[in-house]
């Protein structure tokens, strides 16, 4: 009997342990992928970039006074802001782009590699323009470098420009492994991406106007290969079950009593022509919000309570918060304004004026403004620049409108030292100067010893000096 | 040492072993001389060659000549405890001679165990708690049991001897083993918005009346044979069996009435409003309670909204047990229903269970047991809010309500929600309309065979299954579309989550006994296989098209998520128990483990244990000496053990996870965790010294245990800079030390024939310290924070500190001395130029969640058939963040805000170093007397943003249970016994904590993040009655 038992036990163990390794498996999660398909990764990167754009703009649109807080929220009054979640999603998206670049390069899928670099650069630019010095060249290395070094903003700009140049090269080559797919931005057209890359280069270089490395020629060269019409816009379109995030926000406000999306008095008063010398009512305002029940438009002064007599907000049918409105990553009108500014600084006044007018006209087109109303406004603009010539401030003001609800608006406003007619600190402001940067996230301070000691939110960034 | 409750009687008799080899025979009788049938008799302490007494109490069987002890085990009740010896047997009824079932169902005497073991008889614990852990709360020194709220079925957490893992998601609760098979007790949090609901820990599926006894193995030595799953200790649960010969019927009924244990106080002097005006800013409605003084308003009324929101919870429990034991077959059937309505309107739980426990002896040497427990549970849950959606919870909405507005006024005439401001939902309306319905079907089943293949050799095999499906259907109604409606949600949504869990378990062992003249050796060799799989499918539909029709197809936008995790473990184990002259016992064990969750090169590992027990009082030379000083028994215990613990599944390497569907494209994104390819198992080294002593005919006994537990190589998802592309990095990166004392003292001041008084005191204290955390990462933040206006309050694990520091904003000090991460309480406050304290937004350590020590006192008085027992618990220390008060302070309903019309000179120092002399007004707006504008005022600008103001000491004295029980012995033809019990549980006698009962932790039992109170459902006190009838 004992022998029989031991035999049984022996047999059981033998069976169990010869098959043991197979039985235990390889510990790979069946619910996830070990290597992402390039197309699915590209789709994620583009969608995440648009989300980052929206999430950053939720805060920066207050700073640029496109929007105002409905309840004198501290963010609107320059309270402490670290944008932890934006940092997290920006780096998450850049890590995806960095992975796609690596995989695509290995597979010689040059168009994927190029698109990855453009999106990496786009997000890196957004990130550095919020925080200044950021981890970049040592970033996205997983467990190999768990405390990446911080690059100076100057170095980040250098790398971004190099990456864009590399992307432009890559779009000139062909994919050798897989078909370029999953591109929800340009529907898989590499040549469109190439124009986007040039446009992004122009935007990047324009930021450096106050630095020693500024080169107007370079910008104009980039502009030459950039977008040629609003059809080339880098914009993510929403359709079907995917709604524009601004729409979702406004939907919550309209249907759920969540307060948000109040237009700033600065924006409304500017567009009404009250703050502009010689400019009439801007017809774009009619596309951006509804008139008050009693007629007319009114905004909320940043930092103070909404006017009792009524105020304008984003609506479900106004531009750009309809369900199918695109998120605008980079547009042709912006490129034309960059061209205007660069040529102006380069002493090419005619080119500057032409580009300036084209920018506004194409923006009117983008918004579907009634052509008669658009012409009236354009005539006034043309008349004004003919009489008093074109100034950087004219360009800055139009850019501020063209970059409506875009994070780039804050970068441009800071570069131009908040020099808009009528622009003042928000009411009940917690600081005495305009806000210049976002503070480093608490997690980064705690987890990365390379994180610079915190500076003040009113300290300007490198390119501002 | 098990003086709290008598468990089924186990008795030991000394026999005269003069002959070489012969059959032993005798009678087993009770004090009245009546025979005891069905008594199990085993030689020595081993479960071999057992026999049973027949209906006359007679038994006869062959035993090896070397056997010096017989163990008698009678499964009847307390009054049959004393067995009449038939002259040849010496009666010996020491506590430590109980036979307990240790790891892997190896029966051993408590006297042989070199570590502390605690047993409880479930029937002796009278309270009617539906959750086993809540039922035994307060009865086990060294166990920290904490409920997460008083909603029906809400989860309860148990930690034995401190947290031993640092990974925020690691399991720190013990393993639960039912009839030899490990069973699942997880508390699965919801997904997405489902996270805002408080689910049950899965022990709720067990009908408590089906359970007979519980053995708690606190240390690694005790549980080392169970392997990794029991690295945090183990709780062995046995169900009732039909041990008593004949056919029996038992009926149980119970009623419970629940009330919220304790309420915070709110101010009832200032009405709703802002800046002393009745409306908020330019709106035509208020938001806060910073309105006008009620004295100035005619007809002003205040409401106790907190009390008015809740109701009385009522629960009923019915149970029928049929048992039959005839000859070689035994069978017990149990059927039960439990129905509870919670203190929050519409919350409920309904549970039905059926249990079968059967045994059959095919031959005297071959026995098979079958066990099956099926449960069907249905619950209705109300959202309690979560981190990202705090405003979706009923409790948070309740806290927003100013006291001058009646929360019961929840509905407009058109049936839509009535609320005082569009930004706050009416919590009653929310509770009545926003639900999650939870249905769980669970089947626990096992077959066990025991085959005595030779005189001294036995084979045992067990195969079992634990399978459940947990279906959660959440419906958030959308707007009705009426004019001026404030809906719960604009668009509405519904979610259906299905969780499928199954565990297959098999165990096979062979044991052999060698007996010599001076002792014995009992060896076991076995193998164990566990295969667990969890599948989750989750469908979310958003934006109903047709309102009030709740079907996923009726939504505009749908998304589907699924996940699957499988974990497999295999093990070979061996143990040897040496017994020398019946006073010295030594056990050696070893276990080789294979785990599927570790990298191939590290997936197998070994860990040993050794323990020894010496019964000093039984050593010949000492025995006499001991008797002269009144010492009856003295046992010394010593043990050392290691235990391993593997990773959660799929922690190695990196992944891409599903991100979204963008029109016709699918998006995959990097998974936020990267795992080291070099993971090793966690290891726990545990040392334990203990001593049991009993004096004066066992009228005084004491049991003390010291332990030291080092857990190292701890696996952790270490947070890393997000610039790496990941949020966490799983690696072996930490160690933690737990050490502590558990002490029990039992005194029997009166032990008579008719009147008995037993007093049992328990003391436990656990120190722990995180001794290492990966690389240069100073701390780990546990997931889940509590909402605060100045920044979230979080729980951190920090090197050099005890588990669970509470971090949050504090008041800035003037030139603080370096006091680590804590605010320097000795330094003066920094006062700003306007005369107010300054918020320090850099989070500081404001307290620790762990209690300093716990003292329990149980007194049991028995007079004839009436017994009274009360169990008090004193918990010293343990800080808790009072979430409710943080809301009240911000809303202006806090009692602290009553001085808003007064001025105050904040004691502190200005930036220049001078003492503050600026007296400030605490109200909002312009101070009438001076014309100074104070803006939003002190409470909004400063006070509410300082988490330090809301961290409170959660010490308490609680009456865990008090009951009166009456047992009547009927001379009736049908009724054999009737017991009636009435009692109360969980009353707070004293606590400095000013919120709800601080015990209810808002994160639920499945989370290591404890120390927050208020956002979740509050704890309840219960009044209960129970009736137990035994029929003939």
């Amino acid at each position: 009997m004992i022998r029989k038992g031991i035999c049984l036990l022996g047999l059981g163990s033998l069976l169990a342990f010869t098959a043991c390794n197979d039985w235990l498996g390889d510990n790979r999660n069946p619910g996830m992928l070990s290597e992402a398909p390039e197309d699915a990764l590209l789709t994620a990167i583009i969608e995440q970039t648009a989300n980052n754009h929206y999430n950053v703009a939720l805060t920066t649109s207050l700073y640029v006074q496109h929007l105002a807080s409905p309840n004198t929220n501290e963010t609107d009054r320059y309270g402490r802001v670290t944008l932890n979640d934006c940092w997290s999603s920006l780096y998450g998206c850049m890590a995806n782009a960095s992975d796609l670049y690596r995989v695509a390069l290995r597979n010689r899928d040059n168009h994927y590699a190029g698109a990855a670099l453009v999106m990496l650069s786009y997000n890196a630019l957004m990130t550095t323009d919020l925080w200044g010095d950021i981890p970049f060249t040592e970033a996205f290395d997983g467990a190999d470098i768990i405390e990446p070094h911080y690059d100076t903003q100057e170095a980040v700009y250098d790398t971004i420009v190099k990456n864009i140049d590399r992307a432009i090269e890559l779009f000139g080559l062909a994919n050798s492994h897989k078909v370029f797919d999953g591109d929800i931005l340009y529907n898989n057209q590499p040549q469109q991406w190439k124009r986007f890359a040039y446009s992004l280069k122009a935007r990047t270089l324009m930021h450096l106007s106050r630095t020693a490395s500024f080169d107007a020629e370079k910008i104009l060269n980039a502009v030459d290969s950039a977008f040629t019409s609003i059809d080339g816009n880098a914009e993510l379109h929403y359709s079907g079950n995917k709604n524009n995030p601004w729409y979702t926000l406004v939907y919550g406000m309209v249907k759920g009593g969540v307060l948000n999306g109040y237009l700033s008095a600065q924006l409304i008063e500017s567009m009404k022509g009250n703050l502009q010398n010689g400019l009439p009512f801007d017809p774009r305002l009619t596309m951006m919000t509804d008139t008050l029940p009693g007629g007319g438009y009114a905004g909320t002064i940043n930092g103070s309570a909404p006017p009792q007599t009524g105020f304008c907000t984003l609506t479900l049918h106004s531009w750009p918060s309809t369900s199918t409105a695109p998120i605008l990553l980079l547009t042709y009108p912006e490129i034309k304004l960059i061209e205007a500014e660069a040529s102006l600084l380069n002493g090419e006044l005619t080119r500057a004026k032409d580009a300036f007018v084209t920018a506004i006209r194409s923006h009117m087109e983008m918004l579907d403004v009634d052509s008669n109303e658009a012409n009236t406004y354009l005539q006034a603009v043309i008349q004004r620049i003919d009489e008093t010539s074109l100034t950087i401030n004219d360009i800055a003001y139009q850019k501020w409108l063209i970059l409506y609800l875009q994070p780039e608006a804050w970068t441009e406003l800071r570069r131009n030292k908040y020099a808009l007619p009528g622009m003042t600190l928000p009411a009940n402001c917690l600081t005495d100067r305009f806000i210049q940067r976002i503070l480093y996230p608490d997690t980064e301070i705690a987890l990365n010893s390379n994180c610079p000691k915190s500076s003040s939110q009113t300290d300007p960034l490198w390119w501002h000096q | 040492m098990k003086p709290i409750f008598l468990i089924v009687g186990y008795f030991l008799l000394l026999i005269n072993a003069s002959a070489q080899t012969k059959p032993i025979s005798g009678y087993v009788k009770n004090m009245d001389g009546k025979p005891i049938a069905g008594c199990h008799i085993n030689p020595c302490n081993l479960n071999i060659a057992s026999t049973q007494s027949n209906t006359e109490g007679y038994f006869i069987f062959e035993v090896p000549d070397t056997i010096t002890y017989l163990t008698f085990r009678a499964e009847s009740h307390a009054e049959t405890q004393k067995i009449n010896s038939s002259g040849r047997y010496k009666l010996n009824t020491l506590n430590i001679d109980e036979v307990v079932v240790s790891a892997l169902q190896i029966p051993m005497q408590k006297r042989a165990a070199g570590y502390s073991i605690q047993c409880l008889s479930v029937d002796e614990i009278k309270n009617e708690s539906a959750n086993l852990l809540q039922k035994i709360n307060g009865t086990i020194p060294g166990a920290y049991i904490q409920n997460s709220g008083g909603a029906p079925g809400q989860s309860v957490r148990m930690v034995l001897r401190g947290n031993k893992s640092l990974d925020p998601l690691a399991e720190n609760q013990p393993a639960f083993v039912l009839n030899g098979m490990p069973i699942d007790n997880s508390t699965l949090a919801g997904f997405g918005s489902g996270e805002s609901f408080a689910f049950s820990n899965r022990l709720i599926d067990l009908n408590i009346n089906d359970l007979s006894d519980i053995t708690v193995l606190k240390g690694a030595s005790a549980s080392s044979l169970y392997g990794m799953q029991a690295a945090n200790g183990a709780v062995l649960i046995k169900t009732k069996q039909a041990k008593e010969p004949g056919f029996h019927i038992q009926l149980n009924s119970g009623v419970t009435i629940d009330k919220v244990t304790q309420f915070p106080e709110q101010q009832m002097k200032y009405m709703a409003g802002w800046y002393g005006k009745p409306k908020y800013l330019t709106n035509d409605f208020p938001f806060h309670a910073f309105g006008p003084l009620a004295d100035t308003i005619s007809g002003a009324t205040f409401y106790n909204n907190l009390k008015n929101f809740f109701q009385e919870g009522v629960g009923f429990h019915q149970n029928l047990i049929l048992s039959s034991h005839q000859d070689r077959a035994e069978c017990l059937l149990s059927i039960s229903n439990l129905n509870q309505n919670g203190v929050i309107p519409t919350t409920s739980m309904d549970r039905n269970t059926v249990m079968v426990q059967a045994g059959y002896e095919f031959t005297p040497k071959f026995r098979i047991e079958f066990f099956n427990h099926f449960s069907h549970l249905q619950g209705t849950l109300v959202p309690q809010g979560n981190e990202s959606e705090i405003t979706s919870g009923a409790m948070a909405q309740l806290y927003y309500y100013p006291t001058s507005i009646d929360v019961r006024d929840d509905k407009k005439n058109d049936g839509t929600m009535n609320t005082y401001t569009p930004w706050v939902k009416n919590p009653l309306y929310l509770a009545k309309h926003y639900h999650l319905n939870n249905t769980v079907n669970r089947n626990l089943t096992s077959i066990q065979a025991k085959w005595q293949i030779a005189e001294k050799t036995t084979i045992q095999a067990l195969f079992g299954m634990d399978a459940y499906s947990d279906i959660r259907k959440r419906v958030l109604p959308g707007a009705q579309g009426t004019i001026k409606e404030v809906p719960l949600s604009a668009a509405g949504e519904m979610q259906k989550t299905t969780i499928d869990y199954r565990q297959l378990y098999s165990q096979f062992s062979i044991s052999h006994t060698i007996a010599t003249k001076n002792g014995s050796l009992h060896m076991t060799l076995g193998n164990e296989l566990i295969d667990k799989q969890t599948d989750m499918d989750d469908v979310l539909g958003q934006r109903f098209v047709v309102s009030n029709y709740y079907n996923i197809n009726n939504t505009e936008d749908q998304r589907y998520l699924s996940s699957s995790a499988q974990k497999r473990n295999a093990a070979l184990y061996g143990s040897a128990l040496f017994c020398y002259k019946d006073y010295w016992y030594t056990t050696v064990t070893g276990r080789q483990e294979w785990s599927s969750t570790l990298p191939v090169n590290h997936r197998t590992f070994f860990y040993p244990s050794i323990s020894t027990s010496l019964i000093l009082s039984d050593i010949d030379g000492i025995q006499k000496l001991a008797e002269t000083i009144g010492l009856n028994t003295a046992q010394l215990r010593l043990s050392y053990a290691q235990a391993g613990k593997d990773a959660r599944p799929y922690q190695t390497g990196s992944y891409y996870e599903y991100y979204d569907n963008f029109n016709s494209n699918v998006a995959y994104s990097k998974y936020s965790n990267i795992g080291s390819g070099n993971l090793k198992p966690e290891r726990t080294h545990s040392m334990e010294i203990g001593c049991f002593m009993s004096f004066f005919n066992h009228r005084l006994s004491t049991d003390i245990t010291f332990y030291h537990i080092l857990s190292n190589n701890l696996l952790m998802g270490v947070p890393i800079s997000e610039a790496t592309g990941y949020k966490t990095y799983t690696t072996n990166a930490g160690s933690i030390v737990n050490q502590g004392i558990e002490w029990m003292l039992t005194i029997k001041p009166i032990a008579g024939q008719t009147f008995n008084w037993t007093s049992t005191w328990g003391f436990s204290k656990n120190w722990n310290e995180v001794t290492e955390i990966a690389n240069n990462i100073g701390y780990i933040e546990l997931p889940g924070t509590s909402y605060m206006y100045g920044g979230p309050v979080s729980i951190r694990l920090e090197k050099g500190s005890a588990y669970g520091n509470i971090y949050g904003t504090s008041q800035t000090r003037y030139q603080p001395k370096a006091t680590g991460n804590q605010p320097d309480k000795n330094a003066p406050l920094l006062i700003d130029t306007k005369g107010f304290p300054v918020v320090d937004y850099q989070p500081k350590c404001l307290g620790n969640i762990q209690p300093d020590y716990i003292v329990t006192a149980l007194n049991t008085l028995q007079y004839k058939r009436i017994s009274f027992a009360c169990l008090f618990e004193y918990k010293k220390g343990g800080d808790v963040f009072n979430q409710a008060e943080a809301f009240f302070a911000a809303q202006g309903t806090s009692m602290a805000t009553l001085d808003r019309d007064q001025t105050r000179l904040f004691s502190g120092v200005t930036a220049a170093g001078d003492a503050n002399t600026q007296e400030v007004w605490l109200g909002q707006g312009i101070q009438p007397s001076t014309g100074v504008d104070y803006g939003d005022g002190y409470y909004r600008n400063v006070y509410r943003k300082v988490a330090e103001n809301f961290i409170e000491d959660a010490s308490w004295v609680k009456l865990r249970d008090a009951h009166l029980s009456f047992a009547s012995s009927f001379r009736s033809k049908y009724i054999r016994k009737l017991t009636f019990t009435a009692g109360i549980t969980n009353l707070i006698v004293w606590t400095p904590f000013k919120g709800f009962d601080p015990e209810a932790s808002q994160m639920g039992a499945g989370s290591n993040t404890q120390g927050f109170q208020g956002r979740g459902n509050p704890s309840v006190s219960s009044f209960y009655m129970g009736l137990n009838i035994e029929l003939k």
Side-chain angles (χ1 to χ4, degrees), chain A residues 287-318:
Chain A
M287 311 308 290
M288 284 156 66
T289 186
D290 289 351
T291 52
L292 299 172
Y297 297 88
T300 301
I301 294 173
N302 288 74
S304 61
Q308 223 158 348
T309 46
F311 46 85
C312 295
T313 66
L314 298 176
T315 75
L316 292 177
H317 49 266
S318 61

Side-chain angles (χ1 to χ4, degrees), chain B residues 387-679:
Chain B
E387 192 183 352
S388 51
E389 296 179 309
I390 181 142
T391 52
S392 72
M395 293 302 287
Q397 302 305 304
L398 178 60
Y399 300 153
Y400 276 120
Y401 258 73
T403 42
S404 62
I405 295 162
D406 191 352
V407 77
R408 290 169 297 187
D409 192 7
D410 66 332
K411 216 162 51 174
K412 290 189 206 158
N413 288 336
D414 62 7
T416 61
M417 179 166 68
N418 184 33
T419 170
Y420 75 100
T421 161
W423 309 318
V424 172
K425 317 263 184 278
N426 179 292
L428 263 179
Y429 188 88
L430 182 81
K432 287 175 188 167
H433 294 86
Y434 181 15
H435 293 147
L436 184 145
N437 290 308
N438 186 208
T439 307
V440 180
N441 289 304
R442 185 177 194 178
N443 200 8
L444 289 155
T445 194
S446 68
I447 293 180
Q448 222 178 134
K450 197 193 255 179
W451 183 19
Q452 192 189 340
I453 55 170
E455 191 185 323
K456 296 171 185 170
T457 311
T458 308
I459 289 180
Q460 279 195 61
L462 175 96
F463 181 77
M465 245 169 18
D466 174 3
Y468 62 80
S469 71
D470 181 346
I471 298 164
R472 301 167 174 186
K473 198 168 141 191
R474 177 175 68 89
V475 175
L476 171 60
Q480 305 297 304
T482 57
I483 310 237
K484 289 209 166 179
E485 178 187 6
V486 181
L488 284 175
S489 152
E493 63 179 36
M494 71 177 290
Q495 183 184 20
K496 190 176 177 189
T497 310
T498 309
I499 299 157
D500 262 303
Y501 174 84
R502 68 123 179 84
Q503 173 202 275
L504 301 177
Y505 178 79
S506 94
Q507 193 206 112
F508 179 85
S509 71
I510 179 160
S511 44
H512 182 70
T513 304
I514 299 166
T516 64
K517 197 167 185 182
N518 279 334
S520 62
L521 168 63
H522 181 67
M523 295 170 295
T524 304
L525 200 65
N527 135 277
E528 195 180 25
L529 299 171
I530 308 171
D531 181 351
K532 293 178 184 178
Q533 178 149 0
T534 311
D535 291 294
M536 188 277 292
D537 292 282
D538 185 65
V539 189
L540 175 72
Q542 287 175 308
R543 294 196 293 278
F544 291 112
V545 179
V546 179
S547 58
N548 299 331
Y549 171 52
Y550 305 124
N551 186 317
I552 300 259
N553 287 332
N554 181 38
T555 56
E556 281 179 28
D557 195 4
Q558 292 129 27
R559 72 123 182 80
Y560 167 75
L561 287 178
S562 80
S563 75
S564 174
Q566 188 167 34
K567 186 169 185 279
R568 286 176 160 172
N569 292 93
L572 269 184
Y573 61 86
S575 85
L577 165 62
F578 304 92
C579 158
Y580 177 73
K581 284 199 170 169
D582 297 309
Y583 60 75
W584 190 20
Y585 303 84
T586 303
T587 309
V588 179
T589 72
R591 186 171 164 114
Q592 181 78 32
E593 192 105 32
W594 285 262
S595 165
S596 71
T597 65
L598 294 169
V600 176
N601 51 336
H602 289 133
R603 71 163 43 149
T604 178
F605 48 99
F606 177 81
Y607 43 91
S609 86
I610 181 162
S611 64
T612 188
S613 161
L614 186 63
I615 314 294
L616 287 168
S617 50
D618 283 4
I619 300 173
D620 287 344
I622 302 174
Q623 208 163 14
K624 280 238 162 66
L625 183 72
E627 274 168 20
T628 58
I629 58 164
L631 177 68
N632 308 110
T633 311
Q635 178 201 27
L636 260 184
R637 305 183 298 258
L638 191 63
S639 71
Y640 171 79
Q642 283 188 14
K645 201 168 167 183
D646 58 2
R648 288 177 285 119
Y650 317 134
Q651 295 300 297
T652 52
S654 61
Y655 291 98
Y656 295 89
E657 63 177 345
Y658 169 77
Y659 177 71
D660 200 5
N661 263 68
F662 198 93
N663 300 334
S664 58
N665 292 278
V666 180
Y668 266 76
S669 180
K670 242 171 135 91
Y671 179 56
S672 61
N673 180 66
I674 183 168
S676 162
N678 242 346
L679 293 186

Side-chain angles (χ1 to χ4, degrees), chain A residues 239-382:
Chain A
S239 64
N241 288 342
K242 281 283 155 223
N243 291 326
N244 178 302
W246 290 102
Y247 172 83
T248 311
L249 179 87
V250 179
Y251 192 88
M253 174 173 74
V254 176
K255 302 271 172 85
V258 185
L259 298 187
N260 238 317
Y262 286 30
L263 298 194
S264 163
Q266 171 70 23
L267 181 77
I268 302 268
E269 295 310 311
S270 295
M271 295 187 82
K272 275 155 83 176
N274 295 346
L275 303 174
Q276 297 299 314
N277 283 333
L279 283 187
F281 175 84
D282 192 329
R284 284 172 286 187
L285 184 57
T286 58
M287 311 308 290
M288 284 156 66
T289 186
D290 289 351
T291 52
L292 299 172
Y297 297 88
T300 301
I301 294 173
N302 288 74
S304 61
Q308 223 158 348
T309 46
F311 46 85
C312 295
T313 66
L314 298 176
T315 75
L316 292 177
H317 49 266
S318 61
W319 184 87
S321 49
T322 61
S323 64
T324 55
I327 284 282
L328 307 170
L329 298 181
L330 218 171
T331 62
Y332 174 68
E334 182 188 339
I335 290 301
K336 290 317 270 185
L337 286 184
I338 291 171
E339 183 185 347
E341 189 173 350
S343 357
L344 190 63
L345 293 169
N346 216 23
E348 304 172 50
L349 187 61
T350 321
R351 182 174 179 185
K353 282 184 175 176
D354 282 351
F356 181 70
V357 175
T358 313
I360 302 169
R361 181 177 291 124
S362 57
H363 193 230
M364 297 271 181
E365 233 177 278
M366 263 174 67
L367 267 68
D368 260 340
V369 175
D370 176 88
S371 57
N372 288 331
E373 288 176 30
N375 279 333
T376 314
Y377 183 81
L378 277 166
Q379 286 313 314
V381 168
I382 292 165

Side-chain angles (χ1 to χ4, degrees), chain A residues 11-76:
Chain A
L11 193 71
S13 321
L14 198 72
L15 275 174
F17 296 110
T18 47
C20 194
N21 257 337
D22 282 348
W23 188 70
L24 291 174
D26 61 359
N27 197 32
R28 296 309 292 170
N29 190 337
M32 295 193 202
L33 295 171
S34 296
E35 191 129 305
E38 290 154 303
D39 52 353
L41 203 48
L42 180 61
T43 308
I45 293 164
I46 297 168
E47 193 184 346
Q48 287 170 345
T49 303
N51 289 346
N52 293 342
H53 184 281
Y54 162 75
N55 283 317
V56 171
L58 272 182
T59 298
T60 58
S61 297
L62 299 173
Y63 296 159
V64 299
Q65 303 190 3
H66 285 154
L67 301 179
S69 158
N71 45 16
T72 69
N73 167 316
E74 281 199 358
T75 305
D76 201 6

